[in-house]
Amino acid sequence: MTFKAYLVEDSALIRENLVGFLHDVADADVVACASSEEEAVRWLRQHRDDWDLTIVDLFLERGNGLGVIKACRNRKAKQKVVVLSNYATDDMRQRSEQLGADAFFDKSAELDQLVAYCETLRHARD
């Protein structure tokens, strides 16, 4: 069973690659994308029940991913938020978790872990 992912990423090339990657490898349908914090937060407020997983980059066109994570705080228990960033320092991992992120993956080195996380979510929904 596929699940619905919301992607917050400012690079058009990475967004395009992730949409295909998530569909083909993780069986996730990307229902929408945003490139700025403001755009992402607005979409999340208007579509509270329209996603299962939100994937957030920390550095965005305007604003940052930390604000997006905060905006997801009042989500349903089944809805998960993960950070996918090249800035995978211990401090950023900890800060993201404190703000409510369920997981943090290094964009350049931990895509396999992201896929495994998505598979876990998918199996939990079956």
Side-chain angles (χ1 to χ4, degrees), residues 7-117:
L7 183 58
V8 184
E9 166 63 57
D10 63 327
S11 166
L13 179 62
I14 293 173
R15 255 193 332 264
E16 183 179 318
N17 288 335
L18 278 173
V19 167
F21 174 80
L22 290 167
H23 185 267
D24 295 343
V25 178
D27 203 20
D29 288 329
V30 176
V31 294
C33 299
S35 59
S36 72
E37 178 182 346
E38 178 185 356
E39 180 184 6
V41 169
R42 183 177 18 192
W43 189 91
L44 287 163
R45 286 186 182 137
Q46 294 172 350
H47 300 90
R48 292 190 187 277
D49 298 325
D50 296 339
W51 59 277
D52 302 306
L53 174 67
T54 292
I55 301 171
V56 182
D57 187 13
L58 291 177
F59 295 102
L60 302 172
E61 195 174 272
R62 288 181 314 281
N64 62 65
L66 298 175
V68 178
I69 298 167
K70 283 186 216 175
C72 294
R73 277 197 165 156
N74 295 322
R75 66 187 180 270
K76 294 178 180 175
K78 70 175 184 139
Q79 293 175 309
K80 303 299 179 189
V81 176
V82 301
V83 175
L84 182 64
S85 177
N86 283 324
Y87 195 62
T89 64
D90 289 339
D91 181 53
M92 289 302 350
R93 288 176 188 268
Q94 183 179 19
R95 190 146 177 227
S96 297
E97 183 181 317
Q98 289 170 343
L99 290 172
D102 297 293
F104 192 115
F105 302 103
D106 184 328
K107 197 183 288 184
S108 60
E110 297 177 338
L111 287 179
D112 289 344
Q113 288 95 323
L114 173 62
V115 171
Y117 187 87

